[in-house]
Amino acid sequence: MFKQLFKKYKSKNSPTDLDTVLGFNDLSEKNDVRTYQINMEETFSDFEKLGLTLPSNWNIFQVNSQPGLLIVKNPFTRKGQRMWIKKCLAEYPVQPNKTNLDVHGLLLPSENWWHVCQTDPCRRQILYKKLRWITLGYHHNWDTKKYCENSKSPVPQELIELCQVCARSIGGWHFTAQAAIINFYPIGTALSGHVDHSEPNDVAPLFSFSFGGRAVFLIGRETGGEDNGEHVTALLLESGDLVVMSGQSRLAMHGVPKVMPPLHPFPWVDPNGETLTEEEEWSSSFDEYVSSARININVRQVLLPGQRTL
């Protein structure tokens, strides 16, 4: 059933039927979803610095047929969304982080992808579409599907702190961000179904942050050797959403069959004309990119508790 539904939502021959996708705006007829309550004291002082609203204001939902799957709808402020979009575009696609552009030799080691895109119109259109992933921390080997101790770079401190705050706030988890994959999906692209089992620690939750374009996210569990339609769920993810795959859902089959433009007005922009500070240095180029693409930050804990190296 997973493959059939993936093909259905991916199809370009007919418009996507979002009536069959969980959107979390009206739960009256969606018996597969219930609200998830968190009980915690807001003792952190870094919410604003990380671009987060207070956890007591988060709308969190749990999908009943996918045990452990949580969707957080409003963890970020508009300013926070802009901050993380900017980091993914202008700060993270540089060495020692790895990108798919390294393999193709489209950039020199000293070149910054975003800077080149803004200053070289001839290369811009090619580079915009060519960047598909960045790896930070332990670098995922796409051929062997494994990590290696001698292939890693530092995980940005702000990303470590973001995941720590989300983990403690949502599940009381002690989580250490040790590997991240940032995926870039131009409108109309897809990510085929797969299971994230490269990490020795497959118990720690996986955090998945979305920015820019909307996406249909498909997740399911296999039973009896065959996909069971009752255990395959389609979710609509929007800019600023957080998906947490914990418990049984941590090793569930999942994929992205459809990426669509964001709704207007853009959820990272204040429709009333928010005044931006000089520190933000936001430009229309960021809007242009994320209005035609989706950015997804996947963060994992690689090592088991007490384990220091692979």
Side-chain angles (χ1 to χ4, degrees), residues 47-290:
F47 290 115
E48 183 176 358
K49 183 186 77 171
L50 296 170
L52 295 168
T53 62
L54 292 178
S56 57
N57 297 323
W58 296 356
N59 293 320
I60 307 178
F61 303 96
Q62 183 167 346
V63 180
N64 297 328
S65 63
Q66 308 295 337
L69 181 67
L70 303 173
I71 295 86
V72 187
K73 289 300 296 181
N74 61 334
F76 292 98
T77 63
R78 290 188 176 92
K79 180 179 179 181
Q81 288 198 49
R82 292 193 297 270
M83 179 184 78
W84 288 102
I85 289 170
K86 179 181 174 182
K87 286 184 178 297
C88 290
L89 294 177
E91 296 183 25
Y92 292 162
V94 296
Q95 293 195 359
N97 303 330
K98 292 187 177 183
T99 77
N100 65 297
L101 300 179
D102 301 335
V103 179
H104 302 290
L106 295 175
L107 284 177
L108 297 175
S110 60
E111 288 185 312
N112 178 298
W113 170 80
W114 183 253
H115 178 73
V116 172
C117 288
Q118 303 314 305
T119 57
D120 190 338
C122 294
R123 300 171 67 188
R124 178 177 182 173
Q125 293 306 315
I126 296 176
L127 291 176
Y128 259 14
K129 296 180 180 179
K130 288 290 187 179
L131 180 64
R132 300 306 298 272
W133 54 262
I134 306 170
T135 55
L136 309 88
Y138 280 102
H139 298 297
H140 187 261
N141 187 310
W142 301 96
D143 295 322
T144 65
K145 310 298 183 184
K146 295 181 179 180
Y147 298 99
C148 180
E149 188 62 36
N150 61 7
S151 180
K152 62 180 180 179
S153 60
V155 177
Q157 184 60 33
E158 66 272 12
L159 189 56
I160 293 175
E161 294 177 4
L162 174 67
C163 293
Q164 284 178 337
V165 168
C166 291
R168 291 284 298 276
S169 299
I170 296 171
W173 299 302
H174 294 278
F175 179 90
T176 303
Q178 295 169 333
I181 301 174
I182 304 176
N183 293 305
F184 298 84
Y185 302 92
I187 300 302
T189 57
L191 177 67
S192 59
H194 63 284
V195 175
D196 292 312
H197 51 59
S198 298
E199 297 77 25
N201 189 340
D202 58 11
V203 176
L206 185 152
F207 293 88
S208 178
F209 304 91
S210 296
F211 301 102
R214 297 173 297 155
V216 175
F217 177 76
L218 201 63
I219 182 168
R221 293 183 294 123
E222 295 185 358
T223 59
E226 297 181 359
D227 288 330
N228 187 326
E230 296 180 356
H231 293 155
V232 180
T233 307
L235 314 172
L236 179 63
L237 300 182
E238 301 177 290
S239 186
D241 286 353
L242 163 61
V243 173
V244 182
M245 296 172 63
S246 66
Q248 293 183 40
S249 73
R250 174 61 180 82
L251 293 175
M253 175 75 70
H254 60 283
V256 179
K258 178 77 74 174
V259 176
M260 302 167 288
L263 296 176
H264 286 269
F266 296 143
W268 56 86
V269 177
D270 190 332
N272 297 319
E274 179 181 4
T275 301
L276 306 181
T277 63
E278 292 182 1
E279 288 79 9
E280 286 195 77
E281 297 180 353
W282 186 263
S283 71
S284 59
S285 296
F286 293 116
D287 285 326
E288 177 188 6
Y289 184 89
V290 285

Side-chain angles (χ1 to χ4, degrees), residues 12-32:
K12 299 180 181 180
N13 297 325
S14 60
T16 302
D17 180 12
L18 294 181
D19 290 338
T20 60
V21 178
L22 291 178
F24 306 100
N25 292 320
D26 180 10
L27 301 181
S28 60
E29 298 180 0
K30 298 180 174 63
N31 297 324
D32 193 31

